[in-house]
Amino acid sequence: MTEIEFRSLEDIEWRVEDGDDGTFAGYACRYGKKDSYGTTFHPGVFRKGLDKQDYALLFMHSPYSPVGTFRAEERADHLWIEGRYDDTAAGRDARVMARSGSARELSVGFVRTDLPDWKKLYEMEEDKRKDALENIRSARLVEVSQITARMAAVPGSKLKTVRSALGDLYAAVDAPTIADRIREEQERRADEDEQDRRMQERQRRAALLRLTTVGRA
């Protein structure tokens, strides 16, 4: 199972050409700026996570709604994309919405490759775990989506998918995120600690009762 996260930054800039070729280009992700989830992409984050082949430009992160293709390039302080809309009804509609402003924003879909197993994350000191989760230093790009205006707050941590072995199919699943797993483990261990505390209290009371009984004898 692979967890795909999504981020949209408010200051993304891209342009859709006025001509008939349906091309577009611009920033898909800027580095060094904290997003609405409290995470920050660092320079070089996609250095090892980009394909040289075309990526799909999706609409609202739906794998069933491709509207074009693009290629991505890692630059000093941003991820740059250049592509072309499909000559389909969906592609033409997406282009119109990009130019009108109704669907003007971009959002990246990616898989983090910089995190250890969630159990190792749990065992970290809190400040180190916080730093690891909030700073994205290495990731694999999956897709870029055109999204509805003012949708930068789409809850990416709740959008989880499983990719097929070929990487071209998605299926929504109700699976826990890394943060969910850490929280569940914290709750589980807290329950165990509480059970241990109650057991110790019962043993203490039983010992006191035995001492009292022997004293009376």
Side-chain angles (χ1 to χ4, degrees), residues 21-118:
D21 59 356
T23 58
F24 58 86
Y27 306 98
C29 180
R30 287 187 183 274
Y31 304 150
K33 297 188 177 183
K34 186 170 290 189
D35 60 33
S36 59
Y37 305 101
T39 54
T40 301
F41 287 90
H42 286 257
V45 60
F46 293 111
R47 183 170 58 87
K48 296 181 179 180
L50 291 181
D51 292 334
K52 294 182 180 180
Q53 303 301 316
D54 288 348
Y55 284 90
L57 178 70
L58 303 183
F59 193 79
M60 294 300 292
H61 293 297
S62 170
Y64 307 108
S65 300
V67 294
T69 58
F70 68 89
R71 293 201 176 189
E73 177 186 347
E74 176 87 31
R75 294 188 177 180
D77 63 350
H78 64 270
L79 180 68
W80 179 262
I81 63 171
E82 294 184 5
R84 184 186 305 273
Y85 282 105
D86 291 336
D87 188 17
T88 61
R92 291 189 292 271
D93 288 347
R95 184 183 179 211
V96 169
M97 288 185 283
R99 297 180 66 186
S100 73
S102 64
R104 180 65 182 174
E105 298 178 12
L106 292 179
S107 178
V108 292
F110 62 97
V111 174
R112 294 191 65 167
T113 56
D114 60 344
L115 293 177
D117 180 84
W118 72 269

Side-chain angles (χ1 to χ4, degrees), residues 80-163:
W80 179 262
I81 63 171
E82 294 184 5
R84 184 186 305 273
Y85 282 105
D86 291 336
D87 188 17
T88 61
R92 291 189 292 271
D93 288 347
R95 184 183 179 211
V96 169
M97 288 185 283
R99 297 180 66 186
S100 73
S102 64
R104 180 65 182 174
E105 298 178 12
L106 292 179
S107 178
V108 292
F110 62 97
V111 174
R112 294 191 65 167
T113 56
D114 60 344
L115 293 177
D117 180 84
W118 72 269
K119 292 184 179 179
K120 293 182 179 179
L121 273 172
Y122 177 82
E123 298 296 340
M124 286 182 179
E125 295 179 0
E126 185 174 355
D127 58 339
K128 292 184 178 180
R129 181 171 65 243
K130 185 174 184 291
D131 176 76
L133 291 173
E134 292 182 357
N135 291 280
I136 305 173
R137 298 183 172 91
S138 178
R140 175 166 52 86
L141 183 68
V142 175
E143 48 93 353
V144 172
S145 280
Q146 183 177 331
I147 63 175
T148 306
R150 302 184 184 277
M151 287 293 289
V154 171
S157 62
K158 297 300 182 183
L159 295 174
K160 301 175 288 292
T161 61
V162 172
R163 297 211 307 159

